[in-house]
Amino acid sequence: MKERYHVTGMTCSACSAHVEKSVDKLSGIEKVSVNLLTETMDVSYDDKVLRGADIIAAVEKAGYGAMLFRTADSKVSTRANDSDSGDAKGKRTDGKEVLQRKMVEEEKTMRLRLGISIGFLIPLMYVAMYHMFQDWFGLPIPEWVMRVFHGNENAMNFALTQFLLLLPILYMNRKFFAVGFKTLAHCSPNMDSLIVIGASAAVLYGLFAMYRISYGLGHGDMALVEHYSHDLYFESAGTILTLITVGKYLESRSKGKTSEAITKLMNLAPKVAVVLNEKGEEEEIPAEALQKGDIFLVKPGSAIPADGTVIEGNSSVDEAAITGESVPVDKQTGDKVVSATMNKAGFLKCRADRVGDDTTLAQIIRLVEEASASKAPIAQLADKVAGIFVPTVICISLLTLIGWLVVGADVEFAISTAIAVLVISCPCALGLATPVAIMVGTGVGANHGILIKSGEALQQAKGIDTVVLDKTGTITEGRLQVMQVKAFHGNKEQLLTLAAALESRSEHPLAEAVVAAAKDIVHSTLNEAANNAENVDFDIKITDFKAVFGRGIEGCLSANWLSGGKYYVGNQAYMTEQQLILSDEVTASVDAMADEGQTPLLVADESKVLGVIGVADTIKESSVEAIAAWRRMGVDVIMLTGDNKRTAEAVRRRLELTEVVAEVLPQDKEHKISELKAQGHKVAMIGDGINDAPALAAADVGLAIGAGTDVAMESADIVLMKSDLRDAVTAMRLSRAVIRNIKQNLFWAFFYNSIGIPLAAGLLYPAFGIRLSPMFGAAAMSLSSIFVVANALRLRTFKINRVQITKEQQVPGSKLAARHNVNDEMPKRKIGSASGEQEDSLGQVDNRGREDVTKRKERSTIMTKVMVIEGMMCGHCTGRVQKTLEALEGVGKVVVSLENKTATLELITEISDDALTAAVTDAGYEVKEIKAN
């Protein structure tokens, strides 16, 4: 069983590590993961061995609180001993609502704490340091201050006033003491324990100093009074607590921004729905009250309250909130609608298919929440360090105290140094380094229609060096179109009409493409009453229709422009079976179409072949751009398809793919993935169908495109809401940015502590006289956490950089090519002259591709550039950089030096420094400088 709990009382990574250990020790626990940022704990356990109440009890025994998030009808667990059935009894409250209310209340409390703490700290600091204000800033000291606080005779006034000003600060920040001492009592000290020990030591030493001052005044020992008047540490205790509170407040505000993506998604959920009741009347109800099968109405300008099917009306719907696609999508009867999308113009009457937690929006929110709460493998080191960090710091502090006393330092110096060690140590930075970056990164992905399911998937996507693609629906549109028509007898219009008449009786996808082309291009020959393929008769009478599976179709046709008799439409084997002789011209045309990735359909009468129709699935323009981007990133692209080898090879040549595997079954796809992984490759699989699910699950990272099936999406690690391969490129770039950000955060956390603790312990004091006061230590501790969160927030500026495809780089047969008239022979899809001599096409494809690397190298060099590149560590790195640069248009020879950290490029055409930098950066390395020779 899998459950999620909200854990209260955690303040740093030591807390989350202790909670995780406490629960992990229970018998029956399969997996437990605690996230400090989201204050959640995900638990997988055997419910035959363990109860939910036992888990809550373990958390409470560790000194923290736990509450079960309600998922459907489950109840919220509040105490460990309230249930005998497994889940504890409690109010039927949604855990998310409880957490949101708690966060609002905590923010108000934090503001009050901060305001009062600062309000009393200012006069406390002035009283303690009034003489320094005069020395440092030349400010005059008021006469009443001199009369009340100045001199040994006023030493008790001086000390008592500071103590009284400190008391409100201690009271407002009593939570530190409550949690800190509690965790110490449970032998699991955390950050609060460090603060409490440091602040308590300062307060106790100040109280001791007050007693010594009192003793000196009573016995006339003014030297004793003066000594201890300068050893009061009340201002240090107040400053420590206030600065930590300032840091916590700023940190909580920053952390709130990291979850803005989830908040925005939640705010998209419609609040009301208009339904038709049993009487057929319109009734407004809360959206969460919708039931499956309800009929709801969507008026112009209203949000769609649930996933459903249009049963009446038509309109355009803005789906940008879900898919990120800005262009509204037309909807009519039978089309699917998605919750939280906006109806722009028309009126829609829909049937609810998915409601409540089953809607697309609810599933997106769930995926983003789970990903935010998940851990990346890179965080394991930080988790291990966090578990022993606080006890280690306490030991270092004690050793510092004893060490300085042993070498002869005075008590005040030793205590001050020991306190500085306690308050400068920051386990928070370690605990926040990974989760804040993952939360921001997954939120950014969700805003662009990319749903990343876990931190592990995010990290795995960074190292991908091979992408395996399904063809149909992934690289291509998934809709067959007539690309080419060649008539050997008669004209093309007649050939297409004849073929469409026969194909109108067939349900094969190839038949639909031929009929659609005929309706589009030879509309004048259609029956005016025909509105769809099934009703098209083309003014041709059809008898004796017959379909031969895997071969073709035949039938007797008669029309005023036909000679009558039997006609055939099918593949080459079918024509051979009809004992028709294929001339060299016919064979050449069939082979040419196959070489261009088309499926040739031969049209014949009883004596001869009349012509050939080429049908193909159009390559998406986004696929062209995505594959070009992968080449720039140094990623190999392999296509798996069930098509024949000749067609698959044609697509490979056109898209410049690394490899194609044709005529594969679903289990073959999975086998290919396993084979690549066995060779040491990090493999990503992208697919959309049920037959892709095994391969998606077998890959290091499985990506399902949004137009795919639920089964494919369930098997995938990353879901692309749009059917756009460029989003897969964006997901890989985003993963690299997030992991780079995590590494920066972890480096800062370790660097800060490794430098700060020795500095606070006074190791540099004997040689350089450098030491940190507790106040500076507290400020540094607060800033370290703020730095980590602020660095993660930089990910919100992540930009999607689409690859710009030039006319020379366009793939013939794609939509992009058609728009730029690469296929100049027929830009407007219009059948040419009646003569059968000239070959015409619908989106005619050709074999014009980019020059390969070897040909480019033979061309003359116009310029040499030297790139200084950081991040190359081994031969694999240099090979990756070389491969990336050689894939760029305009780059000839590339020589990469690991020793010099350089790449020397011979350019055969002008190429900008920005383009070179972008290519290397996308490959995961940093360009420091580019010099032209």
Side-chain angles (χ1 to χ4, degrees):
M1 178 180 289
K2 292 184 179 180
E3 290 179 336
R4 171 171 290 186
Y5 294 82
H6 172 51
V7 181
T8 58
M10 297 191 300
T11 57
C12 69
S13 57
C15 300
S16 58
H18 185 61
V19 171
E20 198 166 290
K21 285 181 181 177
S22 300
V23 175
D24 197 38
K25 289 189 296 186
L26 296 175
S27 177
I29 290 290
E30 297 168 358
K31 184 180 180 182
V32 58
S33 175
V34 179
N35 188 291
L36 173 65
L37 180 65
T38 57
E39 296 184 342
T40 56
M41 176 175 67
D42 290 322
V43 184
S44 298
Y45 66 96
D46 185 351
D47 57 354
K48 296 178 182 178
V49 178
L50 194 65
R51 303 181 307 168
D54 298 328
I55 295 172
I56 294 175
V59 175
E60 291 180 345
K61 186 177 179 182
Y64 304 89
M67 180 179 66
L68 177 66
F69 274 112
R70 190 185 68 174
T71 58
D73 294 328
S74 62
K75 298 180 181 179
V76 176
S77 300
T78 55
R79 293 191 59 83
N81 55 0
D82 288 344
S83 175
D84 297 325
S85 60
D87 286 336
K89 296 177 182 177
K91 294 189 298 181
R92 293 176 61 83
T93 308
D94 194 321
K96 292 178 185 176
E97 295 175 2
V98 172
L99 182 55
Q100 288 172 345
R101 288 199 299 268
K102 177 178 173 289
M103 290 175 66
V104 172
E105 292 170 1
E106 283 185 351
E107 186 174 347
K108 291 180 180 177
T109 303
M110 183 71 78
R111 279 202 299 266
L112 179 63
R113 278 174 56 188
L114 184 60
I116 293 177
S117 296
I118 293 175
F120 280 92
L121 179 66
I122 293 172
L124 171 60
M125 293 295 291
Y126 182 77
V127 171
M129 306 174 70
Y130 68 90
H131 53 285
M132 294 183 183
F133 282 92
Q134 185 182 39
D135 296 339
W136 292 350
F137 307 112
L139 298 176
I141 302 174
E143 185 180 346
W144 67 270
V145 172
M146 297 294 290
R147 287 201 308 266
V148 176
F149 300 124
H150 193 67
N152 290 338
E153 66 276 11
N154 292 319
M156 186 52 72
N157 291 346
F158 181 66
L160 184 60
T161 302
Q162 291 184 54
F163 180 65
L164 293 175
L165 289 170
L166 175 63
L167 289 177
I169 299 176
L170 292 175
Y171 177 77
M172 293 309 299
N173 293 283
R174 62 192 182 277
K175 182 179 178 181
F176 288 133
F177 293 87
V179 175
F181 286 126
K182 185 178 181 181
T183 54
L184 277 173
H186 285 88
C187 298
S188 58
N190 64 355
M191 184 199 72
D192 290 338
S193 305
L194 298 178
I195 297 168
V196 165
I197 294 173
S200 298
V203 173
L204 291 174
Y205 187 79
L207 290 173
F208 170 75
M210 286 180 67
Y211 278 99
R212 296 298 289 165
I213 291 170
S214 178
Y215 178 85
L217 289 172
H219 292 77
D221 188 350
M222 291 299 111
L224 183 67
V225 172
E226 184 174 2
H227 174 75
Y228 280 101
S229 294
H230 293 94
D231 280 355
L232 295 169
Y233 273 91
F234 294 134
E235 82 283 357
S236 292
T239 304
I240 290 169
L241 293 172
T242 303
L243 285 176
I244 297 299
T245 302
V246 170
K248 284 289 183 185
Y249 176 71
L250 294 176
E251 181 185 312
S252 65
R253 290 288 301 273
S254 299
K255 286 195 293 186
K257 292 180 181 178
T258 66
S259 59
E260 279 184 359
I262 296 176
T263 304
K264 288 179 181 177
L265 287 171
M266 289 179 171
N267 291 338
L268 289 174
K271 303 297 185 288
V272 297
V274 178
V275 299
L276 293 180
N277 59 24
E278 296 176 354
K279 298 179 181 179
E281 299 172 344
E282 293 185 16
E283 181 181 349
E284 191 173 279
I285 63 171
E288 59 266 24
L290 265 176
Q291 300 292 320
K292 184 176 180 180
D294 283 351
I295 304 300
F296 62 88
L297 310 178
V298 188
K299 298 176 182 178
S302 299
I304 296 172
D307 292 5
T309 305
V310 178
I311 58 175
E312 184 180 318
N314 56 75
S315 180
S316 60
V317 175
D318 183 357
E319 297 183 343
I322 300 298
T323 66
E325 182 60 61
S326 58
V327 180
V329 180
D330 292 333
K331 301 290 182 182
Q332 58 187 2
T333 302
D335 288 342
K336 299 291 183 180
V337 291
V338 180
S339 61
T341 55
M342 188 66 66
N343 183 22
K344 301 293 288 184
F347 173 83
L348 295 175
K349 183 177 181 181
C350 308
R351 180 184 66 251
D353 297 333
R354 294 181 177 180
V355 297
D357 289 341
D358 293 329
T359 64
T360 299
L361 177 65
Q363 291 180 47
I364 290 173
I365 293 172
R366 176 178 58 80
L367 285 175
V368 175
E369 284 180 336
E370 288 178 355
S372 299
S374 66
K375 289 185 179 180
I378 196 173
Q380 291 175 354
L381 176 60
D383 289 344
K384 290 177 181 178
V385 173
I388 61 171
F389 183 83
V390 174
T392 302
V393 169
I394 293 174
C395 291
I396 293 173
S397 179
L398 288 173
L399 290 173
T400 301
L401 175 65
I402 296 169
W404 282 112
L405 290 174
V406 168
V407 298
D410 59 39
V411 175
E412 178 271 333
F413 182 93
I415 291 177
S416 172
T417 306
I419 292 173
V421 170
L422 290 171
V423 297
I424 200 172
S425 307
C426 190
C428 279
L430 283 172
L432 293 172
T434 300
V436 290
I438 289 177
M439 175 170 274
V440 176
T442 53
V444 168
N447 288 337
H448 291 105
I450 301 166
L451 304 183
I452 302 167
K453 290 186 177 181
S454 68
E456 184 177 359
L458 199 62
Q459 182 170 340
Q460 291 280 15
K462 176 205 175 283
I464 295 301
D465 59 22
T466 304
V467 173
V468 179
L469 304 171
D470 181 47
K471 183 176 83 78
T472 305
T474 302
I475 293 178
T476 63
E477 295 284 354
R479 295 189 300 272
L480 293 171
Q481 292 183 337
V482 172
M483 306 297 290
Q484 212 172 335
V485 179
K486 181 163 187 176
F488 303 116
H489 302 277
N491 60 46
K492 294 179 178 61
E493 182 177 320
Q494 292 175 340
L495 181 72
L496 194 59
T497 303
L498 187 155
L502 272 176
E503 295 285 16
S504 65
R505 299 292 182 92
S506 172
E507 296 181 355
H508 196 279
L510 290 170
E512 294 177 4
V514 173
V515 172
K519 287 181 65 178
D520 184 28
I521 299 170
V522 291
H523 192 271
S524 59
T525 67
L526 300 180
N527 188 312
E528 291 185 359
N531 293 317
N532 53 58
E534 287 77 9
N535 295 328
V536 175
D537 62 15
F538 300 99
D539 292 330
I540 299 174
K541 184 177 180 181
I542 305 172
T543 57
D544 299 330
F545 176 81
K546 179 183 177 184
V548 181
F549 182 76
R551 288 289 189 269
I553 56 176
E554 61 183 64
C556 294
L557 306 180
S558 60
N560 55 9
W561 53 276
L562 279 176
S563 58
K566 185 170 287 189
Y567 290 84
Y568 307 90
V569 178
N571 57 26
Q572 193 170 349
Y574 190 47
M575 298 299 130
T576 302
E577 290 175 2
Q578 308 310 315
Q579 298 182 349
L580 293 171
I581 298 174
L582 304 183
S583 65
D584 292 342
E585 183 183 15
V586 172
T587 302
S589 297
V590 169
D591 290 344
M593 289 182 183
D595 287 340
E596 291 167 358
Q598 301 172 21
T599 300
L601 290 177
L602 285 78
V603 183
D605 59 18
E606 294 177 283
S607 60
K608 59 187 176 296
V609 174
L610 302 176
V612 185
I613 300 172
V615 180
D617 194 352
T618 307
I619 295 171
K620 298 176 187 175
E621 60 190 66
S622 58
S623 300
V624 180
E625 295 179 19
I627 292 168
W630 275 317
R631 282 199 304 268
R632 290 179 55 197
M633 294 167 67
V635 176
D636 293 331
V637 185
I638 299 174
M639 183 182 77
L640 303 182
T641 178
D643 287 346
N644 64 68
K645 293 180 180 180
R646 195 160 196 163
T647 301
E649 180 61 23
V651 175
R652 187 199 68 77
R653 287 197 305 272
R654 278 191 264 163
L655 293 176
E656 297 185 24
L657 300 174
T658 307
E659 180 186 351
V660 294
V661 182
E663 300 175 357
V664 296
L665 299 173
Q667 58 268 30
D668 297 327
K669 294 181 181 181
E670 183 182 3
H671 177 73
K672 182 62 178 178
I673 296 291
S674 300
E675 181 182 301
L676 288 167
K677 289 174 67 176
Q679 294 170 5
H681 292 286
K682 287 285 186 180
V683 184
M685 170 68 192
I686 305 175
D688 67 332
I690 293 176
N691 65 340
D692 296 320
L696 289 171
D700 292 298
V701 178
L703 297 94
I705 61 174
T709 63
D710 290 341
V711 174
M713 293 186 191
E714 193 65 31
S715 303
D717 301 298
I718 299 174
V719 177
L720 312 178
M721 296 303 294
K722 300 195 295 287
S723 296
D724 191 332
L725 275 182
R726 293 174 300 184
D727 286 344
V729 177
T730 300
M732 290 173 62
R733 288 184 54 246
L734 178 61
S735 73
R736 293 180 179 186
V738 171
I739 299 304
R740 184 163 56 246
N741 191 278
I742 289 174
K743 288 180 178 179
Q744 292 167 353
N745 288 345
L746 288 173
F747 171 79
W748 167 254
F750 284 112
F751 174 79
Y752 163 81
N753 284 291
S754 62
I755 296 297
I757 292 175
L759 190 62
L763 292 184
L764 299 181
Y765 185 75
F768 304 102
I770 299 174
R771 64 185 285 258
L772 289 180
S773 73
M775 288 183 287
F776 282 108
M781 179 186 191
S782 299
L783 289 173
S784 66
S785 297
I786 295 169
F787 176 87
V788 166
V789 176
N791 186 49
L793 288 174
R794 290 191 308 111
L795 288 169
R796 297 199 302 173
T797 63
F798 178 84
K799 302 295 183 184
I800 295 180
N801 298 321
R802 297 300 193 198
V803 178
Q804 297 300 315
I805 302 297
T806 65
K807 183 173 180 178
E808 288 75 20
Q809 291 174 310
Q810 291 159 12
V811 173
S814 70
K815 284 186 175 181
L816 193 64
R819 280 215 304 265
H820 289 274
N821 291 334
V822 171
N823 307 312
D824 292 327
E825 294 179 37
M826 187 156 291
K828 297 184 180 180
R829 293 174 55 97
K830 183 178 179 182
I831 295 296
S833 66
S835 170
E837 301 297 325
Q838 177 188 359
E839 179 175 350
D840 216 342
S841 70
L842 304 173
Q844 170 74 36
V845 298
D846 59 31
N847 287 321
R848 291 174 294 174
R850 296 193 305 164
E851 297 172 292
D852 61 31
V853 175
T854 54
K855 288 183 179 178
R856 292 207 307 264
K857 290 179 180 177
E858 292 172 0
R859 292 167 56 179
S860 60
T861 302
I862 65 169
M863 182 187 297
T864 300
K865 289 187 176 183
V866 179
M867 304 177 69
V868 180
I869 302 171
E870 286 292 332
M872 297 189 296
M873 307 296 291
C874 61
H876 175 77
C877 295
T878 57
R880 188 181 185 90
V881 169
Q882 181 170 350
K883 185 175 181 181
T884 298
L885 292 172
E886 284 182 340
L888 295 176
E889 277 293 324
V891 176
K893 185 179 179 181
V894 178
V895 178
V896 182
S897 170
L898 178 61
E899 181 180 355
N900 299 325
K901 306 292 184 184
T902 60
T904 304
L905 296 77
E906 294 182 1
L907 304 184
I908 54 178
T909 60
E910 184 68 34
I911 182 167
S912 69
D913 290 352
D914 289 341
L916 295 172
T917 301
V920 175
T921 302
D922 285 343
Y925 303 93
E926 183 180 357
V927 178
K928 289 293 187 182
E929 185 182 4
I930 299 180
K931 297 177 288 188
N933 289 346

